[in-house]
Amino acid sequence: MMAESLTSKQTMSEELKCSICLDVFTDPVSTPCGHNFCKSCLSQCWNNSQTYKCPFCKQTFNKKPELKINTALRQVAQLFKEQFCETKSEVLCDICDDKKMKALKMCLVCQSSYCQTHLEPHYRVEKLKKHKLVDPVENLEIYVCQKHDKPLELFCRDDQTCVCLLCAVTNHRNHNTVAVEEESGERKPQLLKMRSDVQQLIQDKTKRIHDIKHSAELGKKTSEKEKADSIELFTDLMRSIERCQSELLKIMAQKQKAADKQAEELIKKLEQEITELKRRDSELEQLSHTEDYLHLLQIYPSLIRPTAISSSTEIISNTHVNVVPLIKSLTQLQDSLDEKLSKSVLKRMQQYAVDVTLDANTCYPKLILSDDGKQVTYGDIKRELPDNPERFDSCCSVLAKEGFASRKFYFEVQVKGKTDWDLGIAKESITRKGVIKGSPVNGYWIIVLRSGNQYIARESPSVSLYLRAKPQVVGVFVDYEGGLVSFYDVESRSLIYSFTGQSFSEKLFPYFSPGTKQEGKNAAPLIIPNVRK
């Protein structure tokens, strides 16, 4: 409570400060543009200038405005000073000789302060009873006319200032003057109303501060959660890569070991064959010089039989690495990563889910909205509806009631059973009458389905989209500050299309078009479901 009181005091102080002297208003006056300043501050500002310009908004006035004190605002400022700004010092009795006692009242006629004891004659003596008593203050000047040294008992409504009896019959003779008590009584309701407005303003601004702090805290928590999710995702990614790398190295090591063993065995076999061939070469050399022709003819058939020689290509054919298990492992890794990435991205988008309801004031007359504003379908009869500026009069379109001009937001639309639809967002100032061409240039960021299988992003020019599967629920994500509009297939968790590098400067509204019925083929409604996070 103490913190809220301090905040309220600070907020109210800012509202009651002059932007020139940066202090609480003294005799505040208002400029024609609606801004308030101390009278002396504004007068001094204009006295030193050849033009008359508002010091706050810089609006220039052709002639010097007539400045009148805003008495209601002056009373609020004075009340604030008394409650918060000024610590009232104790006013002492002017009559006490020795120990000064605290003054109970001050007489404007006698211009003296009296303690309870010395005030007694003003209650007893008939002449003194007519004197005007007020609560004691240090600065008596605010109650006494500085020109005639008389109590300020009257209020001049023409000049909006307090005057004495002599002022009323001289300078203010023809003016509308009333007793200060009467004017104060009439002003008090205004003062109470103004105080109520100020207190409401304080509450509104305090709530705004609370909302900003709450929003910042939510943003911080969301950011921390996204960070944790990202760390978990990339940790899984690194583990999968390390596992795949380990499997690859293991397979390569096994294949290399097998190839080395095979090469070693082949070399050993070739060396044995070379030894055998050298032995036969020696025999043939000896027989080439023999004269034992009978022996030569007897062993000749055994000499001409071919010797089995191993082919060196055996090692090549047998050292080929079998990469089928590796490819399978990599494919599984890729599928796993795609699923984790798409699931993580969509999950982050769904954290910004907002409640979306269709706006009947924008609805094309042939469209039929459900009672809860969550479904729209095409009707056969064009209803008689007011042709207000917000309504589409030629295209079967409708906007959401909710508009967004900051941060991020996400919503989903069920498109199951439809052959034609338009979905996306549109800016508030779009043209809603006549034929409409949806594109970012015209304030539309949408994708459409035509003829049951033709998906198109309405860029400039349009872009054809090729999807693996037909979406049943489409998610729409918008990052206002980031200039991004993305569409997702919610069931497959895959990105359909993104408008990037956009620049938004006004409120954006979810946009829907269920298309015509097309002989019953496109009769299903567009449905806005609750987002399942």
Side-chain angles (χ1 to χ4, degrees):
M1 292 295 292
M2 186 177 295
E4 291 181 2
S5 177
L6 180 60
T7 302
S8 299
K9 174 186 174 183
Q10 292 172 341
T11 305
M12 190 172 183
S13 175
E14 292 299 321
E15 296 294 332
L16 296 176
K17 275 187 178 180
C18 170
S19 60
I20 298 177
C21 67
L22 302 180
D23 201 354
V24 178
F25 290 124
T26 300
D27 292 337
V29 294
S30 300
T31 59
C33 57
H35 297 115
N36 300 309
F37 307 92
C38 296
K39 183 176 181 180
S40 59
C41 293
L42 187 59
S43 298
Q44 184 178 2
C45 182
W46 283 352
N47 289 339
N48 297 330
S49 175
Q50 296 180 351
T51 59
Y52 306 110
K53 184 183 298 184
C54 173
F56 187 82
C57 69
K58 306 305 180 184
Q59 180 178 341
T60 302
F61 311 113
N62 295 329
K63 61 179 182 178
K64 184 177 182 179
E66 183 180 355
L67 300 178
K68 292 187 177 181
I69 296 175
N70 187 332
T71 55
L73 183 57
R74 179 174 63 181
Q75 289 175 334
V76 173
Q78 183 63 32
L79 179 63
F80 178 81
K81 288 180 180 179
E82 292 174 358
Q83 290 183 349
F84 297 112
C85 299
E86 297 178 355
T87 302
K88 293 185 179 180
S89 59
E90 194 173 75
V91 179
L92 302 178
C93 177
D94 293 329
I95 310 302
C96 293
D97 293 328
D98 299 329
K99 182 180 179 180
K100 294 285 187 180
M101 302 298 293
K102 179 180 177 181
L104 183 64
K105 289 290 183 178
M106 175 180 289
C107 177
L108 297 182
V109 178
C110 301
Q111 297 189 20
S112 297
S113 301
Y114 300 99
C115 65
Q116 186 173 3
T117 301
H118 293 111
L119 183 63
E120 188 271 336
H122 279 76
Y123 292 129
R124 178 173 47 83
V125 180
E126 289 298 325
K127 184 177 179 180
L128 295 179
K129 285 182 180 180
K130 298 179 181 179
H131 290 189
K132 189 173 184 62
L133 301 176
V134 297
D135 292 334
V137 293
E138 286 187 330
N139 185 14
L140 183 62
E141 294 178 354
I142 63 175
Y143 291 100
V144 178
C145 175
Q146 300 302 303
K147 184 176 182 181
H148 301 109
D149 201 26
K150 298 291 183 180
L152 297 173
E153 300 181 74
L154 301 175
F155 181 80
C156 177
R157 288 177 171 173
D158 293 339
D159 293 335
Q160 293 290 300
T161 186
C162 295
V163 297
C164 69
L165 291 174
L166 289 178
C167 289
V169 297
T170 55
N171 296 338
H172 301 266
R173 181 174 52 190
N174 297 322
H175 292 182
N176 182 13
T177 57
V178 295
V180 293
E181 291 84 359
E182 179 182 347
E183 183 66 18
S184 177
E186 293 183 6
R187 291 296 178 93
K188 278 186 178 180
Q190 300 176 14
L191 178 63
L192 293 175
K193 175 63 169 60
M194 180 172 290
R195 186 181 182 190
S196 176
D197 292 343
V198 170
Q199 289 175 342
Q200 183 62 46
L201 184 62
I202 291 172
Q203 292 178 8
D204 293 343
K205 292 184 179 295
T206 303
K207 184 178 182 301
R208 177 61 176 161
I209 292 172
H210 173 76
D211 292 342
I212 292 173
K213 289 181 177 179
H214 181 65
S215 177
E217 186 65 25
L218 287 179
K220 181 180 179 181
K221 291 181 179 179
T222 301
S223 177
E224 290 175 351
K225 191 174 186 307
E226 289 181 355
K227 181 180 179 181
D229 291 342
S230 299
I231 292 174
E232 181 181 357
L233 175 63
F234 284 102
T235 300
D236 290 344
L237 172 63
M238 292 302 297
R239 287 174 181 170
S240 299
I241 292 175
E242 290 173 357
R243 185 172 63 253
C244 182
Q245 183 181 27
S246 177
E247 291 177 2
L248 174 61
L249 293 175
K250 184 177 179 181
I251 292 172
M252 294 299 294
Q254 291 174 348
K255 292 301 178 181
Q256 185 62 46
K257 184 177 180 181
D260 292 344
K261 183 178 179 181
Q262 199 172 36
E264 182 180 347
E265 292 176 352
L266 183 57
I267 291 172
K268 184 176 180 181
K269 187 175 181 180
L270 289 173
E271 288 176 344
Q272 291 175 351
E273 291 176 355
I274 290 172
T275 301
E276 179 62 21
L277 289 172
K278 287 181 177 180
R279 186 187 62 77
R280 291 187 63 186
D281 181 62
S282 178
E283 290 180 357
L284 290 172
E285 183 182 5
Q286 291 177 5
L287 290 173
S288 66
H289 297 92
T290 186
E291 293 181 358
D292 188 349
Y293 304 113
L294 180 61
H295 176 68
L296 174 62
L297 293 174
Q298 289 175 342
I299 66 172
Y300 183 77
S302 63
L303 294 175
I304 65 174
R305 283 197 302 268
T307 303
I309 304 297
S310 298
S311 172
S312 61
T313 59
E314 292 181 27
I315 190 170
I316 297 174
S317 62
N318 286 290
T319 56
H320 178 67
V321 177
N322 184 6
V323 296
V324 173
L326 177 61
I327 294 175
K328 183 178 180 181
S329 178
L330 289 174
T331 302
Q332 292 174 347
L333 172 61
Q334 182 65 45
D335 292 342
S336 175
L337 292 177
D338 287 344
E339 182 180 357
K340 288 179 180 179
L341 284 169
S342 58
K343 184 176 181 180
S344 176
V345 170
L346 186 60
K347 187 176 180 181
R348 286 201 298 269
M349 301 302 101
Q350 290 173 333
Q351 292 177 357
Y352 300 99
V354 294
D355 185 31
V356 173
T357 309
L358 300 172
D359 186 1
N361 289 328
T362 67
C363 184
Y364 177 62
K366 277 194 174 184
L367 295 184
I368 301 173
L369 306 185
S370 61
D371 292 339
D372 62 358
K374 297 294 184 179
Q375 298 187 29
V376 56
T377 187
Y378 190 84
D380 296 322
I381 300 175
K382 189 172 184 179
R383 296 171 295 161
E384 293 294 331
L385 297 174
D387 188 21
N388 50 286
E390 298 85 7
R391 190 178 307 283
F392 293 94
D393 67 350
S394 298
C395 295
C396 55
S397 305
V398 61
L399 298 178
K401 292 180 180 179
E402 299 78 15
F404 305 90
S406 64
R407 299 180 63 80
K408 302 172 183 176
F409 63 93
Y410 173 89
F411 62 94
E412 293 179 354
V413 185
Q414 180 179 311
V415 296
K416 184 178 180 180
K418 297 193 65 62
T419 60
D420 284 67
W421 49 257
D422 297 17
L423 291 176
I425 61 167
K427 65 182 183 180
E428 189 172 18
S429 63
I430 55 171
T431 299
R432 310 182 191 197
K433 309 300 181 182
V435 179
I436 296 172
K437 184 177 180 181
S439 68
V441 175
N442 297 322
Y444 293 84
W445 291 265
I446 60 175
I447 62 172
V448 305
L449 170 64
R450 296 290 182 265
S451 304
N453 58 5
Q454 297 178 14
Y455 294 92
I456 303 169
R458 291 301 191 194
E459 287 273 16
S460 299
S462 296
V463 177
S464 297
L465 307 177
Y466 302 95
L467 309 182
R468 295 180 181 178
K470 188 173 183 178
Q472 303 300 304
V473 179
V474 176
V476 183
F477 172 73
V478 179
D479 183 349
Y480 193 97
E481 283 78 13
L484 174 69
V485 183
S486 295
F487 299 84
Y488 290 87
D489 181 341
V490 175
E491 292 187 353
S492 66
R493 301 189 183 94
S494 59
L495 176 66
I496 297 175
Y497 188 77
S498 288
F499 293 87
T500 60
Q502 306 301 307
S503 179
F504 304 125
S505 58
E506 59 183 271
K507 192 173 288 188
L508 302 177
F509 291 83
Y511 170 86
F512 311 84
S513 175
T516 59
K517 283 190 175 180
Q518 298 183 1
E519 299 178 353
K521 296 179 182 179
N522 192 42
L526 289 177
I527 302 175
I528 305 172
N530 293 327
V531 176
R532 293 177 295 177
K533 300 181 182 179

